[in-house]
Amino acid sequence: MFSLQTIFGKGDKFYGLLEASAGAARRSASALTEFLAQGGGAAKSLDEFRLARQREKKLAAEISEALVNTFVTALEREDIEALSGALYKIPKVIEKFAERYSLVGDRLGDVDFVSRARMLEKACDVLEQMVGQLRSMKLEPMKELNDQLQALENEADRLILELFRDMYRNENDPVRFLLRKDLFEILEKAIDRCRDAGNVVYAIVLKNS
């Protein structure tokens, strides 16, 4: 005799899928740090970012399909969709940065993108921890992680303002100015995407705690 739980399923699979999605985003950020440390520019190196985005897209599609085929979900369906969508955007932005940098990085000389990439990697790491703790729905540990993520995003905002201040005062090459501005804004956008996903996670826990 089958129980209702057997027939309908608990929907626990979504935790695993979302954790895999957060892990893919974090690995994409780690790949970016390595890519920049090695100087970037190689087409082979860009393949890793394309594959990361494709993996994330595949996971998002798997989540959407599971939502159709699962009667009972561990989380509300709109929350699963919102978090899946927010996580998918992270490697997409990272790939965009890598593609742009591979085209123009040699014109920027010693501009330091690595330190910002490491900040992004840290944000993805915190986000991965947050998604991993969704199973427990404990508010205080989640709040601490969310505060860390918000602090990283605030620091990224502060640093880009300092960067722009320096560029407006000291950058004499207009093309180089625009290239630096564009690339740094893409990196900041990636960190913002981590914050957005973290906000979704925190809202889910607030709702269910």
Side-chain angles (χ1 to χ4, degrees):
M1 181 176 178
F2 292 101
S3 67
L4 286 176
Q5 187 179 92
T6 303
I7 295 172
F8 295 111
K10 290 172 62 180
D12 288 351
K13 69 180 75 174
F14 293 104
Y15 287 125
L17 289 170
L18 291 169
E19 287 163 1
S21 187
R26 193 261 307 153
R27 287 191 295 274
S28 183
S30 298
L32 180 61
T33 301
E34 183 178 353
F35 172 79
L36 290 169
Q38 295 175 351
K44 184 178 180 181
S45 299
L46 291 176
D47 289 341
E48 188 168 0
F49 299 102
R50 296 188 183 108
L51 288 172
R53 182 174 57 80
Q54 289 169 7
R55 284 194 298 269
E56 195 78 61
K57 186 175 182 179
K58 183 178 179 180
L59 284 165
E62 191 173 347
I63 289 170
S64 295
E65 182 179 354
L67 283 171
V68 172
N69 296 324
T70 304
F71 289 94
V72 179
T73 59
L75 303 170
E76 292 186 16
R77 293 172 182 273
E78 60 267 25
D79 291 336
I80 295 171
E81 291 174 338
L83 182 52
S84 175
L87 291 169
Y88 170 68
K89 292 176 182 177
I90 298 170
K92 187 176 181 180
V93 176
I94 292 173
E95 181 190 13
K96 180 179 180 180
F97 175 91
E99 288 175 340
R100 296 276 180 90
Y101 184 85
S102 69
L103 294 173
V104 303
D106 57 344
R107 298 195 57 175
L108 298 175
D110 59 353
V111 176
D112 176 27
F113 292 102
V114 176
S115 61
R116 309 302 172 93
R118 287 183 178 137
M119 184 178 291
L120 170 61
E121 188 176 356
K122 175 62 177 175
C124 286
D125 180 65
V126 174
L127 177 59
E128 185 179 21
Q129 293 179 58
M130 291 178 73
V131 175
Q133 289 197 23
L134 269 176
R135 293 175 186 265
S136 65
M137 289 294 172
K138 293 182 179 178
L139 183 58
E140 284 306 314
M142 192 65 78
K143 183 179 184 305
E144 291 179 6
L145 288 170
N146 191 58
D147 288 345
Q148 290 181 39
L149 192 54
Q150 296 293 330
L152 283 166
E153 195 268 336
N154 290 337
E155 178 65 6
D157 286 344
R158 185 188 67 81
L159 289 175
I160 201 166
L161 286 176
E162 289 187 358
L163 170 75
F164 288 164
R165 186 180 299 113
D166 175 71
M167 288 167 57
Y168 288 133
R169 291 176 178 173
N170 302 313
E171 182 58 75
N172 297 316
D173 183 340
V175 174
R176 181 182 160 93
F177 174 90
L178 291 174
L179 294 176
R180 291 175 64 187
K181 184 175 183 293
D182 180 56
L183 287 171
F184 277 115
E185 285 180 341
I186 295 173
L187 276 180
E188 186 190 25
K189 184 176 182 180
I191 295 175
D192 288 345
R193 291 289 179 260
C194 292
R195 176 210 58 202
D196 294 343
N199 286 340
V200 175
V201 176
Y202 190 55
I204 292 171
V205 175
L206 282 174
K207 185 190 300 184
N208 291 279
S209 61

